[in-house]
Amino acid sequence: MHKFPFLKLFATLLLCGFVVKANAEVIAVIVPHNQTIHQIGSSELSLIFWRKKLYWADGKRIQTLNYASNNSIRIQFSLAILKSMPETQADYWNGLYFHGISPPYVVSSQEAMLRFVADSPGGIGYIDACKLDNRVKPIAWISAGRNLLSSAPELNCPE
């Protein structure tokens, strides 16, 4: 009988640790380091990720990137910017596909996101802000409370 409370406590701690680790405290919206855009608002970001805005002001085609629909950073981003869960977006993309508009490319990791955005003129994606490096430029931040910020917040990155 004494084993069950220990197992329950262990499972709870394990689950809590997973949830804390899976969610980014702050998400950085990123573009290639040499991209001319420096800031972006939530309505424009929404248009870009719904693929209703296809070109940057300088004429470059926008290349949007996402993670898989079950990725915790994608879920945070989708709720903050697209106001929906990734699973509910499938019907939207299926409808647009037959009109010649493809959904954003999907990458499998934050490193893949960094590389693809850095190497793709017109690229835009998002990562855990603690993963930022000089290959890309942040143009907006999404707080844990789902607010879009135009300046860098204080980050609590693990060492």
Side-chain angles (χ1 to χ4, degrees):
M1 273 182 57
H2 294 286
K3 290 181 184 177
F4 293 116
F6 173 74
L7 288 175
K8 186 175 180 180
L9 176 63
F10 179 73
T12 302
L13 290 174
L14 184 63
L15 181 60
C16 289
F18 173 75
V19 171
V20 170
K21 194 173 185 179
N23 292 322
E25 185 172 318
V26 176
I27 295 172
V29 178
I30 57 172
V31 295
H33 198 271
N34 62 355
Q35 183 71 29
T36 56
I37 188 168
H38 297 286
Q39 264 183 227
I40 196 164
S42 60
S43 59
E44 185 175 9
L45 203 51
S46 177
L47 290 173
I48 288 170
F49 276 86
W50 283 122
R51 303 283 314 240
K52 293 181 179 182
K53 180 178 179 177
L54 300 175
Y55 294 91
W56 293 111
D58 64 4
K60 287 182 188 161
R61 185 161 181 83
I62 299 172
Q63 296 188 56
T64 52
L65 296 167
N66 260 334
Y67 297 104
S69 61
N70 64 346
N71 182 288
S72 63
I73 296 174
R74 166 122 183 239
I75 292 168
Q76 284 178 260
F77 180 86
S78 291
L79 290 171
I81 302 303
L82 304 176
K83 309 297 186 212
S84 64
M85 288 291 288
E87 303 84 43
T88 65
Q89 298 163 11
D91 288 339
Y92 173 81
W93 293 117
N94 289 338
L96 284 184
Y97 181 78
F98 294 105
H99 296 286
I101 299 175
S102 299
Y105 295 111
V106 173
V107 295
S108 59
S109 69
Q110 292 188 77
E111 179 60 27
M113 180 72 76
L114 282 164
R115 287 181 184 187
F116 195 106
V117 170
D119 295 338
S120 301
I124 185 169
Y126 50 93
I127 59 170
D128 180 334
C130 289
K131 304 290 185 188
L132 278 171
D133 64 28
N134 61 3
R135 294 177 285 178
V136 295
K137 172 172 66 175
I139 58 170
W141 291 262
I142 300 168
S143 70
R146 299 187 193 142
N147 298 315
L148 188 70
L149 310 171
S150 59
S151 60
E154 186 175 319
L155 298 175
N156 296 318
C157 300
E159 300 282 326

